[in-house]
């Protein structure tokens, strides 16, 4: 006899149809396997990856079918095994060695390439042996546990005079001294210098001048970003993947907004006209290669009237010309800037400031040989190839998200009150004096995995919470990222059928509102999604999933496979909507 629970899942997800479909695929693959295998053997030298991909799909379809069948029958699913030590700092899609073997070169091997990702065992990533729960903000911004990041004392000491002035390795801690020279005279002096070049009295006037979002390229260990956060601005650090000593990993461990990203060959996952400022201080980018397309990518994401700040030694040779004709990097950028309607508005010491024009007539008045304007479709910002054109304009409709804001203010109060281990007790008790107030542990950052207009972020700000939010807009949903960024929030586009570009254990809370329903029509595995969520969630971190009852029941079963404590919360509003609140355990070795 079919259980009521099975009927609810079938009505929401069409699980019966899904099971028959997967069963049919498995049967068809099994029948065709010998024929297909022979045909691939004959052409294996021409398409070496096709058979492995085919076999992976066949095996995954069979595994997913059996797991879904067990779930529909109410069978307890087994926990995923624990990964080995080699996966402690594993970041999928960034295999430089594999990319080189695949023939990628000239910087392309450093980019994100999920298409070359080898099959990996489904397992739960464990923290390093010496991992400790981060210190509470703001202390944790300036002091981190050295065992939480993959950097050695030798790497720290060899990272240059600027870095060693900023960081001290003391026993099991790394201390960041924000006031000790980021650029010569200190972070505050450097930020004030930039403000003066813009025409402001001090760096505290950035927000008043409309400068809220900053893309910090090659951000070092985040000291400039930490200062901007203290000014109520939203910097986003991006730096290329590094196996050890990662800038992004250290910035995130400090509780600062950061993600792995570069643009050697592909566009960044941001829409056009996203940032008020782009900052590069000794970031190591060679701006004149590839016909200056790297600088054009900066122009693409920079808003009209926005600023590009470049700090680089003025006497450093740069370019592809013979040695006798090489010019400094700033001189070369200045030559290129004139072709894309930028103007050099300030220079102090080794810092240069360009401003992007707000006058559309500037583009039409250029010579015919100038770089063309982008056409519709040229700026498709999800890891598409770089394009040799200048970005256009866009418009926003703020009224679209205003009605939704009050709903999220109320929802956030409910979420925050649930972030305590007491909800996992079968006999909840009233908190006593000895119990910590919710949230039980510190929440510095939140990833909203289906952010829509960023109203969870807005509700956090309204209620005075210090956490910042990475607002993720799924690529298969409506692209509301321009609205999110225009509100001064951090955000990014992402395909949740792929891993997220960050290091393990970098987020304190994950929030997914109707994401699982959204992904139910996609050809990706929810089991892989939960493993990825576990990878990027720090120990003792929280997951809040809001969805329909049938989906929540399936999610609860998957949560047990990754060892999360989970509880379903009935909203008591007469709807089919439920909350699944989970906490990741600290798996000590």
């Amino acid at each position: 006899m079919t259980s009521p629970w099975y009927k609810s899942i079938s009505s929401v997800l069409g699980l019966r149809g899904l099971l028959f479909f997967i069963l049919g695929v498995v049967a068809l693959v099994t029948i065709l396997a010998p024929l297909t295998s022979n045909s691939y053997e004959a052409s294996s030298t021409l398409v070496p990856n096709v058979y492995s991909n085919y076999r992976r799909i066949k095996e995954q379809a069979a595994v997913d079918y059996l797991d879904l069948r067990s779930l529909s029958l109410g069978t307890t699913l087994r926990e995923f095994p624990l990964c080995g030590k080699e996966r402690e700092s594993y970041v999928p899609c960034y295999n430089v060695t594999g990319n080189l073997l695949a023939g990628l070169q000239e910087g392309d091997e450093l980019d994100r390439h999920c298409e070359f990702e080898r099959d990996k065992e489904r397992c739960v990533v464990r923290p390093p042996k010496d991992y400790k729960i981060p210190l509470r903000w703001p202390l944790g911004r300036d002091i981190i546990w050295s065992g939480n990041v993959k950097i050695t004392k030798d790497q720290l000491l060899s990272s240059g005079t600027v870095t060693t002035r900023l960081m001290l390795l003391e026993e099991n801690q790394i201390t960041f001294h924000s006031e000790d020279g980021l650029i010569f005279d200190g972070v505050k002096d450097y930020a004030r210098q930039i403000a003066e070049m813009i025409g402001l009295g001090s760096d505290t006037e950035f927000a008043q001048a409309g400068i809220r979002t900053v893309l910090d390229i090659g951000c070092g260990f985040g000291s400039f970003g930490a200062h901007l956060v203290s000014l109520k601005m939203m910097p986003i650090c991006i730096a290329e993947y590094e196996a050890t000593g990662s800038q992004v990993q250290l910035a995130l461990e400090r509780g600062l907004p950061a993600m792995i990203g570069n643009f050697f060959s592909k566009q960044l996952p941001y829409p056009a006209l996203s940032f008020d400022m782009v900052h590069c201080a000794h970031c190591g980018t060679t701006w004149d290669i590839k016909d200056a397309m790297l600088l054009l990518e900066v122009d693409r994401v920079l808003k009209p009237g926005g600023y590009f700040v470049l700090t680089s030694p003025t006497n450093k040779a740069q370019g592809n010309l013979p040695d006798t004709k090489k010019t400094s990097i700033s001189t070369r950028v200045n030559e290129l800037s004139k072709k894309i309607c930028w103007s050099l508005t300030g220079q102090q010491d080794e810092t240069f400031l360009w401003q992007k024009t707000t006058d559309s007539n500037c583009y039409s008045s250029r010579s015919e040989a100038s770089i063309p304007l982008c056409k519709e479709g040229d700026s498709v910002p999800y890891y598409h190839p770089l394009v040799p054109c200048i970005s256009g304009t866009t418009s926003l409709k703020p009224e679209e998200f205003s009605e939704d804001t009050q709903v999220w203010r109320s929802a956030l109060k409910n979420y925050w009150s649930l972030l305590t281990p007491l909800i996992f007790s079968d006999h909840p008790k009233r908190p006593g004096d000895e119990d910590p107030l919710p949230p039980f542990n510190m929440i510095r950052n939140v990833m909203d995995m289906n952010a829509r207009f960023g109203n969870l972020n807005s509700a956090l700000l309204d209620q005075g919470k210090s956490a910042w939010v990475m607002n993720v807009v799924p690529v298969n949903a409506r692209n509301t990222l321009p609205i999110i960024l225009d509100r001064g929030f951090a955000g990014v586009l992402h395909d949740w059928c792929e891993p997220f570009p960050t290091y393990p254990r970098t987020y304190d809370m994950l929030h997914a509102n109707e994401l699982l329903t959204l992904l139910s029509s996609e050809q990706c595995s929810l089991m892989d999604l939960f493993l990825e969520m576990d990878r990027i969630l720090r120990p003792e971190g929280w997951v809040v999933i809001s969805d329909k009852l049938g989906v929540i029941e399936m999610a609860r079963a998957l949560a047990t496979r990754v060892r999360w404590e989970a509880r379903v919360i009935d909203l008591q509003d007469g709807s089919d909507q439920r909350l699944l609140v989970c906490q990741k355990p600290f798996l000590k070795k």
Side-chain angles (χ1 to χ4, degrees):
M1 183 175 179
T2 305
S3 67
W5 179 83
Y6 178 77
K7 289 181 179 178
S8 65
I9 281 193
S10 299
S11 63
V12 174
L13 294 180
L15 184 59
R16 185 190 299 274
L18 178 62
L19 292 177
F20 278 116
F21 172 77
I22 295 177
L23 181 60
V25 170
V26 173
L28 181 61
V29 166
T30 304
I31 293 172
L32 296 179
L35 177 61
T36 312
S37 176
N38 293 337
S39 64
Y40 280 155
E41 288 174 1
S43 58
S44 60
T45 57
L46 298 177
V47 284
N49 291 326
V50 171
Y51 177 73
S52 62
N53 289 340
Y54 152 81
R55 191 164 116 189
R56 177 182 60 79
I57 294 172
K58 173 184 174 182
E59 292 174 349
Q60 180 171 321
V63 171
D64 287 356
Y65 164 72
L66 293 174
D67 281 340
L68 287 170
R69 184 173 182 273
S70 298
L71 182 60
S72 69
L73 296 176
T75 305
T76 302
L77 299 177
R78 64 186 184 278
E79 292 181 339
F80 287 111
L82 299 177
C83 301
K85 180 179 176 61
E86 71 282 357
R87 299 280 287 275
E88 287 177 355
S89 297
Y90 170 64
V91 180
C93 303
Y94 288 94
N95 184 347
V96 177
T97 302
N99 293 343
L100 288 170
L101 292 175
L104 299 177
Q105 54 186 339
E106 297 183 356
D108 291 357
E109 72 277 7
L110 302 175
D111 266 325
R112 185 172 184 269
H113 291 282
C114 295
E115 66 271 22
F116 298 126
E117 186 70 14
R118 298 283 184 179
D119 278 344
K120 295 290 184 181
E121 177 192 8
R122 281 175 167 169
C123 57
V124 173
V125 175
R126 291 185 292 182
K129 179 181 178 181
D130 297 326
Y131 183 87
K132 296 183 179 181
I133 300 300
L135 300 171
R136 291 180 179 272
W137 183 275
L139 183 61
R141 177 191 59 196
D142 298 324
I143 301 175
I144 65 173
W145 303 110
S146 57
N148 290 10
V149 293
K150 198 171 183 180
I151 186 171
T152 65
K153 182 177 181 180
D154 290 339
Q155 290 172 330
L156 179 64
L157 295 176
S158 65
S159 55
T161 57
V162 171
T163 300
T164 53
R165 289 173 62 190
L166 282 169
M167 301 168 57
L168 289 176
L169 186 61
E170 301 171 350
E171 297 183 357
N172 59 351
Q173 293 181 340
I174 300 176
T175 303
F176 297 81
H177 297 282
S178 298
E179 301 311 316
D180 295 342
L182 167 67
I183 308 294
F184 307 113
D185 296 327
V187 177
K188 285 187 175 181
D189 287 341
Y190 176 65
R192 185 165 53 247
Q193 181 187 63
I194 295 173
E196 290 173 354
M197 286 191 287
I198 293 174
L200 304 176
S202 72
D203 54 356
T204 60
E205 298 177 9
F206 277 140
Q208 299 174 22
I211 302 173
R212 298 174 298 169
T213 54
V214 178
L215 183 65
D216 193 5
I217 302 172
C219 54
F221 300 132
S223 291
F224 183 59
H227 180 62
L228 295 183
V229 168
S230 72
L231 298 175
K232 309 300 182 184
M233 297 171 65
M234 180 48 67
I236 300 178
C237 159
I238 62 166
E240 65 184 58
Y241 168 74
E242 299 165 280
T244 59
S246 165
Q247 304 173 60
V248 170
Q249 189 181 35
L250 265 75
L252 282 164
E253 189 63 27
R254 297 181 66 185
L256 302 171
M259 60 179 289
I260 302 171
N262 58 48
F263 46 100
F264 293 119
S265 62
K266 297 179 181 179
Q267 293 179 348
L268 293 166
Y270 309 114
L273 318 180
S274 293
F275 294 96
D276 302 311
M277 179 183 287
V278 177
H279 174 258
C280 163
H282 303 288
C283 64
T285 301
T286 307
W287 294 105
D288 66 337
I289 63 173
K290 296 188 175 183
D291 297 324
M293 284 210 293
L294 304 186
L295 199 64
L296 295 183
E297 177 63 1
V298 171
D299 177 81
R300 186 184 72 83
V301 300
L302 195 61
K303 292 180 180 179
Y307 298 94
F308 176 53
V309 181
L310 174 65
T311 297
S312 178
T314 55
N315 59 350
K316 182 178 179 181
Q318 177 79 11
N320 302 318
L321 299 173
D323 290 343
T324 56
K325 296 183 179 180
K326 282 188 177 180
T327 57
S328 69
I329 180 174
S330 57
T331 301
R332 183 64 179 137
V333 170
N334 197 41
E335 293 173 356
L336 295 169
S337 69
K338 298 173 183 177
K339 300 180 181 180
I340 56 178
C341 290
W342 289 8
S343 57
L344 181 63
T345 59
Q347 176 188 355
Q348 290 189 28
D349 300 321
E350 296 184 346
T351 300
F352 297 77
L353 180 81
W354 288 270
Q355 185 174 23
K356 181 176 179 176
T357 187
T358 58
D359 183 9
S360 59
N361 294 325
C362 175
Y363 300 112
S364 58
S365 63
R366 297 172 307 141
S367 64
E368 294 183 0
S370 297
I371 302 170
L373 288 171
C374 296
K375 299 177 182 177
E376 186 176 354
D378 283 337
S379 181
V380 184
Y382 189 70
Y383 302 110
H384 282 249
L386 296 174
V387 289
C389 62
I390 305 172
S391 59
T393 59
T394 188
S395 62
L396 300 173
K397 297 180 179 179
E399 66 275 8
E400 292 184 6
F401 57 80
S402 58
E403 184 179 350
D404 196 37
T405 303
Q406 187 57 43
V407 175
W408 281 106
R409 288 173 182 164
S410 175
L412 181 62
K413 291 181 180 179
N414 293 331
Y415 291 170
W416 218 256
S417 66
L418 292 172
L419 301 187
T420 165
L422 295 179
I423 71 166
F424 297 116
S425 169
D426 289 334
H427 303 284
K429 64 183 181 69
R430 183 180 297 277
D433 294 336
E434 75 282 2
D435 294 313
L437 294 174
F440 173 71
N441 51 4
M442 176 191 57
I443 293 183
R444 306 159 301 172
N445 57 13
V446 178
M447 176 181 283
D448 194 354
M449 301 173 68
N450 186 21
R452 297 188 69 235
F453 300 117
N455 285 323
L456 176 64
N457 194 156
S458 179
L460 280 164
L461 292 176
D462 289 345
Q463 296 188 22
K465 308 300 182 185
S466 60
W468 61 269
V469 180
M470 179 61 76
N471 296 280
V472 181
V473 176
V475 294
N476 57 329
R478 179 188 171 193
N479 185 9
T480 55
L481 187 55
I483 295 175
I484 290 171
L485 294 171
D486 193 66
R487 300 179 74 179
F489 301 157
V492 69
L493 288 172
H494 184 63
D495 182 352
W496 282 116
C497 294
E498 300 174 352
F500 191 82
T502 192
Y503 291 84
R505 303 170 298 278
T506 49
Y507 283 88
D508 300 330
M509 175 178 164
L510 306 179
H511 173 252
N513 180 41
E514 299 185 351
L515 176 68
L516 303 187
T517 293
L518 177 68
L519 295 179
S520 63
S521 60
E522 298 297 307
Q523 296 180 350
C524 54
S525 169
L526 291 185
M527 285 173 278
D528 288 336
L529 174 66
F530 271 68
L531 283 170
E532 175 62 7
M533 293 168 67
D534 183 82
R535 183 184 73 87
I536 65 181
L537 185 66
R538 73 164 174 83
E540 297 188 1
W542 296 90
V543 179
V544 178
I545 300 175
S546 176
D547 223 307
K548 296 179 181 179
L549 175 60
V551 181
I552 288 295
E553 291 291 352
M554 178 177 284
R556 180 167 63 173
L558 293 173
T560 62
R561 298 199 64 185
V562 291
R563 296 173 166 80
W564 296 348
E565 294 182 88
R567 195 175 193 113
V568 177
I569 307 296
D570 189 341
L571 299 177
Q572 302 293 330
D573 60 358
S575 72
D576 193 34
Q577 205 79 2
R578 297 291 187 274
L579 286 181
L580 179 66
V581 181
C582 311
Q583 188 176 32
K584 176 179 176 177
F586 190 168
L587 299 175
K588 299 182 180 180
K589 294 186 177 180

